[in-house]
Amino acid sequence: MTSLFFLTFLFSSLLTRNVDANPNYIEALSKSLLFFQGQRSGPLPPDQQLSWRASSGLSDGSSANVDLTGGYYDAGDNIKFNFPMAFTTTMLSWSTLEYSAQMGPELQNARVNIRWATDYLLKCATATPGKLYVGVGDPNADHKCWERPEDMDAPRTVYSVSSSSPGSDVAAETAAALAASSMIFREVDSEYSRLLLETAKNVMQFAIQYRGNYSDSLSSSVCPFYCSYSGYKDELMWGAAWLLKATNDKNYENFIKSLGSGDQPDIFNWDSKYAGAYVLLSQRALVNNDTNFEQYKQEAESFICKILPNSPSSSTHYTPGGLMYKLPQSNLQHVTAITLLLTTYAKYMKATQHTFYCGNFDIVVPDTLISLSKKQVDYILGDNPKTMSYMVGFGSNFPLRIHHRASSLPSQGLLSKPFNCTEGFQFYHTENPNPNILTGAIVGGPDQNDEYPDLRNDYIHSEPTTYINAAFVGPLAYFASGGSA
């Protein structure tokens, strides 16, 4: 049974649908994972499929006499920001944990992508006692350049947090990533899994013991790019929730309780984690019937009621074509992250035949959430007023001029010499399509009116990020396996 307030929304959005109402979710899942190869930093392996990329950042960490090679560039630039990279890792791990049975042959590709990140995060957490490295590359210098990562000559400055310059937010997110990923490898590489979990515990203790926002410690090195606008309390809850899931250690439950009540959000992204923590913790109330976590179930449902269209407490705008619209910059990051929460909470609800109400309005059943999730997934894959797939390389109509240095510049094999910092801007300003297809990349997405100009300099709409894709893997796996409303 689907609630009446959702059916009203669904009927209106049907008017804008194109004839292709059943995207190939299996293909989209495969391409969403392939995208991460285009973001790789460090020495590339022989089985690298996106052959227009080559090894890069091979001296990362050398200025601090440590090895910080590897990891991912966060978006269309050549910087390794650990705060969003760790969130990417947590979300990719959560997607894989919840939907591994639906991923088929893509499960191994997901593990490879996760390990590419965790190998790097382990280096950051263990290279120097008392320090957590949290990024490589001067973002202010990098953003003045337009060059491939293979050719970058901007400073590869190393950033870290410590007891005297704390960063509870980035540390707790790193702990969350390591704890979540430890469960991915538990059955296939137990030694690596134990290393991830033990490191997660140590990093979480560091986050708890030395409190502070990393953006206060690092200022313009991370702001305005990835400022910790929401503070660090949400990451402390989020990190402890993942460690609780990975260990069942009662101490983490007690710590979560000691944090008190959190915000009542209507958003979920790399900076604001409360909604994710509530949904994750609600599993214990719903599936495990643990009444100690009832408050988090209620918070999760309060969040969902703010998302559902026409709910009395909804604070979420929808475009005329039916896309959730939260913020102008990179809106699809919010759509994919929230969609993962909706499909996952619906999964928990189905396990116990649970339903709930948004105020005194209609009953919310699992299919209410699945229907909305499917609408968002289908919209991104081309079922929208512009009949445009916002996943590069998927379908016949997709963004051609994405804001991405490596994609927009000729690949190494075509150059007699690399372009320097500023010479590459000739490719930034051209109206020609990008020469290299960053298969699977999901861009920031359309505006509030479903419009998308496909301009390289329109970065708030045309730039892909790792965290947009990471959250999308779970819903894609669900629908690829035949999930339906």
Side-chain angles (χ1 to χ4, degrees):
M1 175 183 176
T2 301
S3 64
L4 289 177
F5 70 73
F6 183 78
L7 283 175
T8 303
F9 164 78
L10 187 61
F11 177 75
S12 63
S13 66
L14 281 172
L15 298 178
T16 66
R17 298 179 72 172
N18 68 45
V19 294
D20 182 15
N22 296 294
N24 186 332
Y25 301 116
I26 296 175
E27 177 191 349
L29 173 62
S30 178
K31 289 181 174 179
S32 71
L33 290 165
L34 179 60
F35 154 75
F36 287 91
Q37 291 194 13
Q39 300 303 113
R40 284 172 169 173
S41 182
L44 299 189
D47 62 355
Q48 170 80 11
Q49 291 178 260
L50 298 184
S51 58
W52 48 268
R53 279 296 324 280
S55 299
S56 63
L58 298 181
S59 62
D60 280 0
S62 61
S63 62
N65 297 312
V66 292
D67 174 13
L68 298 180
T69 56
Y72 293 111
Y73 303 116
D74 70 299
D77 54 24
N78 300 326
I79 301 298
K80 295 192 299 200
F81 291 103
N82 287 24
F83 195 25
M85 193 197 307
F87 179 66
T88 292
T89 311
T90 309
M91 296 302 280
L92 190 53
S93 297
W94 197 2
S95 290
T96 306
L97 280 170
E98 293 290 351
Y99 303 102
S100 59
Q102 289 80 29
M103 294 182 76
E106 297 303 328
L107 176 57
Q108 179 56 24
N109 292 327
R111 288 194 191 111
V112 168
N113 288 345
I114 292 166
R115 186 158 186 160
W116 194 273
T118 54
D119 281 352
Y120 166 78
L121 292 175
L122 283 171
K123 293 177 184 180
C124 292
T126 61
T128 304
K131 274 188 178 180
L132 174 67
Y133 293 99
V134 299
V136 181
D138 181 338
N140 295 289
D142 178 87
H143 286 192
K144 295 174 183 176
C145 299
W146 195 262
E147 54 191 344
R148 301 177 319 123
E150 294 84 357
D151 306 324
M152 57 187 171
D153 48 16
R156 301 301 288 169
T157 311
V158 172
Y159 302 99
S160 63
V161 294
S162 63
S163 57
S164 58
S165 299
S168 298
D169 32 30
V170 67
E173 183 60 67
T174 301
L178 296 172
S181 59
S182 76
M183 291 180 276
I184 299 297
F185 296 99
R186 189 172 285 168
E187 301 299 323
V188 294
D189 190 337
S190 58
E191 184 176 349
Y192 188 66
S193 174
R194 284 193 294 271
L195 175 62
L196 290 169
L197 187 55
E198 288 307 309
T199 308
K201 293 176 184 177
N202 293 336
V203 175
M204 189 66 200
Q205 182 56 41
F206 174 86
I208 293 170
Q209 187 170 350
Y210 304 109
R211 306 277 179 107
N213 295 323
Y214 93 127
S215 45
D216 291 340
S217 298
L218 296 174
S219 61
S220 63
S221 301
V222 294
C223 294
F225 316 103
Y226 290 102
C227 273
S228 182
Y229 298 103
S230 68
Y232 59 78
K233 185 178 171 183
D234 56 326
E235 276 84 23
L236 290 179
M237 180 181 287
W238 174 243
W242 277 109
L243 275 157
L244 177 62
K245 185 173 178 65
T247 65
N248 281 318
D249 185 336
K250 187 83 172 178
N251 287 320
Y252 292 113
E253 178 182 341
N254 294 337
F255 175 72
I256 292 167
K257 297 286 187 182
S258 75
L259 292 172
S261 59
D263 289 349
Q264 296 183 321
D266 66 354
I267 205 163
F268 177 49
N269 58 28
W270 57 263
D271 179 47
S272 179
K273 314 292 169 50
Y274 279 121
Y278 297 153
V279 170
L280 182 64
L281 292 169
S282 70
Q283 183 181 23
R284 291 179 172 263
L286 278 172
V287 180
N288 302 345
N289 199 30
D290 187 338
T291 56
N292 289 322
F293 293 86
E294 179 67 22
Q295 72 180 90
Y296 305 109
K297 177 175 74 72
Q298 293 174 3
E299 293 285 11
E301 291 172 3
S302 173
F303 165 76
I304 291 168
C305 288
K306 293 174 184 175
I307 302 301
L308 292 174
N310 301 324
S311 159
S313 54
S314 180
S315 57
T316 302
H317 175 72
Y318 286 80
T319 70
L323 180 70
M324 284 180 207
Y325 193 80
K326 283 295 184 181
L327 291 170
Q329 183 161 337
S330 191
N331 179 59
L332 289 188
Q333 67 170 303
H334 310 295
V335 177
T336 61
I338 292 171
T339 298
L340 175 61
L341 296 189
L342 293 177
T343 55
T344 301
Y345 200 77
K347 177 185 174 184
Y348 301 160
M349 290 173 69
K350 283 186 175 182
T352 55
Q353 298 182 314
H354 177 69
T355 61
F356 66 93
Y357 290 86
C358 291
N360 295 320
F361 214 63
D362 260 346
I363 190 170
V364 177
V365 299
D367 283 353
T368 311
L369 310 189
I370 295 300
S371 296
L372 180 55
S373 297
K374 186 176 187 300
K375 176 62 186 175
Q376 303 310 299
V377 170
D378 290 358
Y379 185 108
I380 291 172
L381 297 180
D383 187 9
N384 56 61
K386 291 188 74 69
T387 63
M388 170 175 272
S389 163
Y390 292 103
M391 177 183 283
V392 174
F394 183 86
S396 58
N397 182 25
F398 53 83
L400 299 175
R401 301 165 189 85
I402 66 173
H403 183 95
H404 192 276
R405 287 159 174 77
S407 172
S408 68
L409 286 153
S411 60
Q412 192 171 32
L414 300 176
L415 298 178
S416 57
K417 70 178 184 66
F419 295 102
N420 67 22
C421 170
T422 57
E423 288 173 337
F425 276 106
Q426 63 184 291
F427 299 97
Y428 174 79
H429 293 296
T430 181
E431 294 183 5
N432 294 333
N434 287 10
N436 304 310
I437 304 299
L438 184 55
T439 303
I442 303 171
V443 295
D447 65 15
Q448 69 271 26
N449 298 313
D450 300 301
E451 291 298 324
Y452 182 81
D454 197 15
L455 298 173
R456 196 174 293 109
N457 62 3
D458 182 24
Y459 67 90
I460 71 172
H461 298 118
S462 64
E463 186 170 18
T465 72
T466 55
Y467 39 91
I468 298 178
N469 273 61
F472 204 46
V473 167
L476 283 175
Y478 175 80
F479 291 113
S481 67
S484 65

